[in-house]
Amino acid sequence: MKKFLLTAVLGMFALAGFSQVKWDVKAGMSMSNLTGDVENTNMKVGYTVGVGVDYAFSDMWSLQSGLNFTGKGVSFDDVEGEDGGTWKLNYIELPILGAAKFALNDNMKFVVNAGPYLAVGLGGKESYDDGDDFKLFSKEDGLEEAALKRFDLGIQYGVGLEIGEHYLVNLTGQNGFINMLNDKFWSEELSAKNMAFFISVGYRF
């Protein structure tokens, strides 16, 4: 996975010399939760920032990718006397998307894109309402395994607007395919997968 991400990054820089390639930066808000064998969870609001690349095959079709830093996670309600808590998860993500663009007028395009994404967890912790913290992607003292798997893979899809030559507005969704719970840590066969939505604005150079 790490070798693939490195190869993808080098490939992005290799594309930089082509005239069909345009670069952009973007930032926005994430809204994340979990799907699967989870209960009493609430959406967590986080962040997304990144750099993107758009390789145009024609006026309509393009390949989009980039590197994004995203904050995901979930909050848990108080249950049966146990304190509620929050999972705060930070990822670096690589989407590989096919995009179709439709001209709305001379100054605006409507964009639809979809494709897979790969992600690596950079850091994560569980914070309890009583102030205690617990690392999620790395082994805590006295434990043989981490609670969560560091790698994630899923589908990304979205719609957006390209306004003029420079401005971008995007609404994006993600659904993870991989059970993020480490089977060697959890005593039961449980499943939990990432799910997130993003609202972002960007500037294209």
Side-chain angles (χ1 to χ4, degrees):
M1 181 74 74
K2 292 181 180 178
K3 291 182 179 179
F4 180 84
L5 286 173
L6 179 59
T7 302
V9 171
L10 294 175
M12 288 170 54
F13 282 105
L15 287 173
F18 291 89
S19 60
Q20 300 98 320
V21 172
K22 295 182 180 180
W23 293 84
D24 60 75
V25 292
K26 53 183 174 289
M29 178 179 68
S30 68
M31 295 163 284
S32 60
N33 207 325
L34 301 176
T35 62
D37 303 320
V38 289
E39 298 178 351
N40 303 303
T41 63
N42 300 304
M43 179 187 71
K44 180 182 176 298
V45 175
Y47 68 92
T48 179
V49 295
V51 57
V53 60
D54 184 297
Y55 182 89
F57 297 105
S58 66
D59 290 340
M60 182 176 182
W61 299 103
S62 68
L63 176 67
Q64 297 180 335
S65 187
L67 286 176
N68 302 317
F69 295 91
T70 64
K72 296 181 179 179
V74 65
S75 64
F76 297 91
D77 293 330
D78 295 345
V79 179
E80 297 179 354
E82 295 185 4
D83 289 335
T86 303
W87 282 6
K88 299 177 181 179
L89 310 176
N90 298 303
Y91 288 92
I92 183 171
E93 298 181 341
L94 172 72
I96 304 173
L97 311 173
K101 303 180 181 182
F102 306 92
L104 301 179
N105 54 46
D106 293 340
N107 199 47
M108 185 179 297
K109 293 181 179 179
F110 179 72
V111 183
V112 180
N113 58 32
Y117 76 87
L118 298 171
V120 178
L122 300 178
K125 68 178 182 179
E126 184 176 54
S127 299
Y128 294 96
D129 293 344
D130 61 8
D132 290 337
D133 291 335
F134 180 83
K135 295 179 182 178
L136 294 171
F137 287 132
S138 57
K139 300 175 185 178
E140 281 279 13
D141 293 340
L143 299 178
E144 297 182 357
E145 299 291 340
L148 301 185
K149 299 173 185 175
R150 194 173 290 272
F151 302 108
D152 192 22
L153 167 69
I155 185 73
Q156 179 170 315
Y157 44 89
V159 295
L161 293 174
E162 295 184 356
I163 304 170
E165 294 292 327
H166 300 292
Y167 301 104
L168 311 171
V169 179
N170 296 293
L171 177 61
T172 303
Q174 287 182 346
N175 288 90
F177 293 158
I178 294 178
N179 178 14
M180 62 195 300
L181 303 181
N182 189 342
D183 294 339
K184 296 180 180 179
F185 179 89
W186 299 87
S187 59
E188 301 178 43
E189 293 185 359
L190 302 175
S191 175
K193 300 176 182 178
N194 275 313
M195 177 181 69
F197 295 93
F198 307 92
I199 300 173
S200 63
V201 294
Y203 183 87
R204 176 164 290 160
F205 299 97

PDB file of all heavy atoms in Angstrom, residues 64-68 93-97 116-118 156 174:
ATOM      1  N   GLN A  64      -9.036  12.629 -12.604  1.00  0.00           N
ATOM      2  CA  GLN A  64      -8.751  13.485 -11.460  1.00  0.00           C
ATOM      3  C   GLN A  64      -8.136  12.664 -10.325  1.00  0.00           C
ATOM      4  O   GLN A  64      -8.554  11.543 -10.060  1.00  0.00           O
ATOM      5  CB  GLN A  64     -10.033  14.164 -10.966  1.00  0.00           C
ATOM      6  CG  GLN A  64     -10.652  15.095 -11.985  1.00  0.00           C
ATOM      7  CD  GLN A  64     -11.926  15.755 -11.495  1.00  0.00           C
ATOM      8  OE1 GLN A  64     -12.616  15.233 -10.630  1.00  0.00           O
ATOM      9  NE2 GLN A  64     -12.254  16.913 -12.057  1.00  0.00           N
ATOM     10  N   SER A  65      -7.143  13.256  -9.669  1.00  0.00           N
ATOM     11  CA  SER A  65      -6.516  12.601  -8.530  1.00  0.00           C
ATOM     12  C   SER A  65      -5.985  13.687  -7.590  1.00  0.00           C
ATOM     13  O   SER A  65      -6.342  14.854  -7.711  1.00  0.00           O
ATOM     14  CB  SER A  65      -5.387  11.667  -8.999  1.00  0.00           C
ATOM     15  OG  SER A  65      -4.892  10.906  -7.920  1.00  0.00           O
ATOM     16  N   GLY A  66      -5.136  13.304  -6.661  1.00  0.00           N
ATOM     17  CA  GLY A  66      -4.581  14.261  -5.720  1.00  0.00           C
ATOM     18  C   GLY A  66      -4.262  13.594  -4.396  1.00  0.00           C
ATOM     19  O   GLY A  66      -4.364  12.364  -4.237  1.00  0.00           O
ATOM     20  N   LEU A  67      -3.847  14.399  -3.444  1.00  0.00           N
ATOM     21  CA  LEU A  67      -3.605  13.933  -2.086  1.00  0.00           C
ATOM     22  C   LEU A  67      -4.405  14.809  -1.130  1.00  0.00           C
ATOM     23  O   LEU A  67      -4.294  16.045  -1.176  1.00  0.00           O
ATOM     24  CB  LEU A  67      -2.120  14.006  -1.735  1.00  0.00           C
ATOM     25  CG  LEU A  67      -1.217  12.948  -2.366  1.00  0.00           C
ATOM     26  CD1 LEU A  67       0.233  13.217  -1.995  1.00  0.00           C
ATOM     27  CD2 LEU A  67      -1.624  11.545  -1.947  1.00  0.00           C
ATOM     28  N   ASN A  68      -5.198  14.169  -0.284  1.00  0.00           N
ATOM     29  CA  ASN A  68      -6.051  14.901   0.649  1.00  0.00           C
ATOM     30  C   ASN A  68      -5.759  14.474   2.083  1.00  0.00           C
ATOM     31  O   ASN A  68      -5.551  13.284   2.361  1.00  0.00           O
ATOM     32  CB  ASN A  68      -7.533  14.631   0.343  1.00  0.00           C
ATOM     33  CG  ASN A  68      -7.901  15.014  -1.072  1.00  0.00           C
ATOM     34  OD1 ASN A  68      -7.504  16.057  -1.573  1.00  0.00           O
ATOM     35  ND2 ASN A  68      -8.676  14.157  -1.729  1.00  0.00           N
ATOM     36  N   GLU A  93      -5.280  10.599   1.883  1.00  0.00           N
ATOM     37  CA  GLU A  93      -6.089   9.843   0.921  1.00  0.00           C
ATOM     38  C   GLU A  93      -5.667  10.144  -0.510  1.00  0.00           C
ATOM     39  O   GLU A  93      -5.297  11.273  -0.851  1.00  0.00           O
ATOM     40  CB  GLU A  93      -7.568  10.194   1.091  1.00  0.00           C
ATOM     41  CG  GLU A  93      -8.116   9.843   2.456  1.00  0.00           C
ATOM     42  CD  GLU A  93      -9.581  10.172   2.614  1.00  0.00           C
ATOM     43  OE1 GLU A  93     -10.102  10.991   1.816  1.00  0.00           O
ATOM     44  OE2 GLU A  93     -10.210   9.612   3.525  1.00  0.00           O
ATOM     45  N   LEU A  94      -5.764   9.123  -1.344  1.00  0.00           N
ATOM     46  CA  LEU A  94      -5.472   9.227  -2.773  1.00  0.00           C
ATOM     47  C   LEU A  94      -6.691   8.765  -3.560  1.00  0.00           C
ATOM     48  O   LEU A  94      -6.942   7.563  -3.643  1.00  0.00           O
ATOM     49  CB  LEU A  94      -4.257   8.381  -3.135  1.00  0.00           C
ATOM     50  CG  LEU A  94      -3.954   8.248  -4.631  1.00  0.00           C
ATOM     51  CD1 LEU A  94      -3.417   9.570  -5.177  1.00  0.00           C
ATOM     52  CD2 LEU A  94      -2.966   7.127  -4.892  1.00  0.00           C
ATOM     53  N   PRO A  95      -7.489   9.668  -4.124  1.00  0.00           N
ATOM     54  CA  PRO A  95      -8.591   9.254  -4.994  1.00  0.00           C
ATOM     55  C   PRO A  95      -8.109   9.134  -6.442  1.00  0.00           C
ATOM     56  O   PRO A  95      -7.183   9.836  -6.860  1.00  0.00           O
ATOM     57  CB  PRO A  95      -9.592  10.415  -4.857  1.00  0.00           C
ATOM     58  CG  PRO A  95      -8.717  11.603  -4.595  1.00  0.00           C
ATOM     59  CD  PRO A  95      -7.512  11.101  -3.835  1.00  0.00           C
ATOM     60  N   ILE A  96      -8.711   8.237  -7.199  1.00  0.00           N
ATOM     61  CA  ILE A  96      -8.454   8.092  -8.638  1.00  0.00           C
ATOM     62  C   ILE A  96      -9.818   8.090  -9.313  1.00  0.00           C
ATOM     63  O   ILE A  96     -10.535   7.082  -9.274  1.00  0.00           O
ATOM     64  CB  ILE A  96      -7.681   6.805  -8.944  1.00  0.00           C
ATOM     65  CG1 ILE A  96      -6.377   6.761  -8.140  1.00  0.00           C
ATOM     66  CG2 ILE A  96      -7.386   6.702 -10.437  1.00  0.00           C
ATOM     67  CD1 ILE A  96      -5.622   5.461  -8.255  1.00  0.00           C
ATOM     68  N   LEU A  97     -10.183   9.208  -9.931  1.00  0.00           N
ATOM     69  CA  LEU A  97     -11.550   9.436 -10.361  1.00  0.00           C
ATOM     70  C   LEU A  97     -11.644   9.709 -11.860  1.00  0.00           C
ATOM     71  O   LEU A  97     -10.822  10.447 -12.420  1.00  0.00           O
ATOM     72  CB  LEU A  97     -12.144  10.638  -9.612  1.00  0.00           C
ATOM     73  CG  LEU A  97     -11.975  10.662  -8.094  1.00  0.00           C
ATOM     74  CD1 LEU A  97     -12.467  11.991  -7.543  1.00  0.00           C
ATOM     75  CD2 LEU A  97     -12.707   9.496  -7.451  1.00  0.00           C
ATOM     76  N   PRO A 116     -12.264   4.809  -7.218  1.00  0.00           N
ATOM     77  CA  PRO A 116     -11.778   4.301  -5.927  1.00  0.00           C
ATOM     78  C   PRO A 116     -10.926   5.329  -5.200  1.00  0.00           C
ATOM     79  O   PRO A 116     -10.411   6.276  -5.792  1.00  0.00           O
ATOM     80  CB  PRO A 116     -10.942   3.090  -6.344  1.00  0.00           C
ATOM     81  CG  PRO A 116     -10.429   3.459  -7.703  1.00  0.00           C
ATOM     82  CD  PRO A 116     -11.538   4.228  -8.360  1.00  0.00           C
ATOM     83  N   TYR A 117     -10.788   5.124  -3.893  1.00  0.00           N
ATOM     84  CA  TYR A 117      -9.826   5.895  -3.119  1.00  0.00           C
ATOM     85  C   TYR A 117      -9.038   4.952  -2.220  1.00  0.00           C
ATOM     86  O   TYR A 117      -9.538   3.907  -1.790  1.00  0.00           O
ATOM     87  CB  TYR A 117     -10.501   6.987  -2.287  1.00  0.00           C
ATOM     88  CG  TYR A 117     -11.203   6.492  -1.040  1.00  0.00           C
ATOM     89  CD1 TYR A 117     -10.522   6.348   0.179  1.00  0.00           C
ATOM     90  CD2 TYR A 117     -12.559   6.141  -1.062  1.00  0.00           C
ATOM     91  CE1 TYR A 117     -11.166   5.878   1.315  1.00  0.00           C
ATOM     92  CE2 TYR A 117     -13.202   5.674   0.076  1.00  0.00           C
ATOM     93  CZ  TYR A 117     -12.498   5.543   1.255  1.00  0.00           C
ATOM     94  OH  TYR A 117     -13.123   5.073   2.385  1.00  0.00           O
ATOM     95  N   LEU A 118      -7.806   5.313  -1.946  1.00  0.00           N
ATOM     96  CA  LEU A 118      -6.953   4.610  -1.004  1.00  0.00           C
ATOM     97  C   LEU A 118      -6.610   5.565   0.127  1.00  0.00           C
ATOM     98  O   LEU A 118      -6.448   6.766  -0.104  1.00  0.00           O
ATOM     99  CB  LEU A 118      -5.664   4.134  -1.675  1.00  0.00           C
ATOM    100  CG  LEU A 118      -5.812   3.134  -2.822  1.00  0.00           C
ATOM    101  CD1 LEU A 118      -4.461   2.940  -3.508  1.00  0.00           C
ATOM    102  CD2 LEU A 118      -6.327   1.803  -2.307  1.00  0.00           C
ATOM    103  N   GLN A 156     -15.346   6.578  -4.020  1.00  0.00           N
ATOM    104  CA  GLN A 156     -15.601   8.011  -3.861  1.00  0.00           C
ATOM    105  C   GLN A 156     -16.426   8.492  -5.046  1.00  0.00           C
ATOM    106  O   GLN A 156     -16.229   8.050  -6.179  1.00  0.00           O
ATOM    107  CB  GLN A 156     -14.289   8.789  -3.780  1.00  0.00           C
ATOM    108  CG  GLN A 156     -14.479  10.297  -3.645  1.00  0.00           C
ATOM    109  CD  GLN A 156     -13.193  11.028  -3.323  1.00  0.00           C
ATOM    110  OE1 GLN A 156     -12.430  10.599  -2.463  1.00  0.00           O
ATOM    111  NE2 GLN A 156     -12.950  12.144  -3.998  1.00  0.00           N
ATOM    112  N   GLN A 174     -18.034   9.321   0.317  1.00  0.00           N
ATOM    113  CA  GLN A 174     -17.158   8.153   0.364  1.00  0.00           C
ATOM    114  C   GLN A 174     -17.824   7.032   1.145  1.00  0.00           C
ATOM    115  O   GLN A 174     -18.469   7.281   2.166  1.00  0.00           O
ATOM    116  CB  GLN A 174     -15.822   8.470   1.046  1.00  0.00           C
ATOM    117  CG  GLN A 174     -14.867   9.318   0.246  1.00  0.00           C
ATOM    118  CD  GLN A 174     -13.562   9.526   0.993  1.00  0.00           C
ATOM    119  OE1 GLN A 174     -13.463   9.268   2.187  1.00  0.00           O
ATOM    120  NE2 GLN A 174     -12.543   9.999   0.294  1.00  0.00           N
TER     121      GLN A 174
END
